[in-house]
Amino acid sequence: MLLTGQGSWRRGRTAWRRWRKGRPFWGGLAAVVAGAEICAIPLAPLKIMLQQGIAGIPSVLMGLVMILMGLSAWFAPYYRGLAGILTVLVATAALVISNLGGFLFGTIVGILGGGMIFAWQPRPLPEPEPGPQADAGPSGSGSEPPAPSRTQPQS
């Protein structure tokens, strides 16, 4: 196993899974793909770009914002709310401003990606198992009487 590199392959794959599951990976990927698609359409050959004129600049900027929001979802998952909302807003604005939002593909994928980014929640840490010292109480002696039940009135 040591000579074939299987151990390092498994460790790398485990580390990749842990990283991927700790952030809104698929939503960020959809935002990056949609932003690249919206950004790439105006970057056509120079002859077509000159016909388009100044209208290609907002398309490139909106694509770059969507790519930036997808990357921020990956590398700063605590800002997922802002990144998700901005991705949806920019993807919707691209429908009007940028060639039907990258011929509808960029808008649809951007809205789905922004929704996935916004909806993602980190998994809560598992609660630790109570050990044998948990019954001993705070003083460690275990001689404290049990607390009375709060559901039944005492007489």
Side-chain angles (χ1 to χ4, degrees), residues 19-155:
W19 182 86
R20 188 187 71 207
K21 290 182 186 229
R23 57 206 73 244
F25 178 76
W26 296 111
L29 182 66
V32 168
V33 167
E37 201 270 336
I38 289 173
C39 196
I41 288 178
L43 298 178
L46 185 61
K47 185 177 179 182
I48 297 171
M49 188 68 170
L50 289 175
Q51 290 174 352
Q52 208 175 38
I54 195 95
I57 294 173
S59 300
V60 172
L61 291 177
M62 284 192 290
L64 290 176
V65 167
M66 288 179 69
I67 291 170
L68 181 67
M69 291 300 108
L71 292 175
S72 72
W74 283 349
F75 298 110
Y78 296 108
Y79 296 115
R80 68 187 179 280
L82 177 66
I85 290 172
L86 283 178
T87 301
V88 170
L89 288 176
V90 170
T92 306
L95 182 65
V96 178
I97 296 173
S98 171
N99 299 324
L100 285 175
F103 303 119
L104 291 178
F105 177 77
T107 294
I108 292 171
V109 173
I111 289 172
L112 290 174
M116 286 191 289
I117 291 170
F118 186 76
W120 180 83
Q121 292 289 320
R123 286 186 174 177
L125 295 174
E127 293 185 23
E129 297 282 331
Q133 295 179 354
D135 295 333
S139 63
S141 63
S143 62
E144 294 181 20
S149 173
R150 295 181 186 221
T151 57
Q152 298 176 355
Q154 294 181 353
S155 52

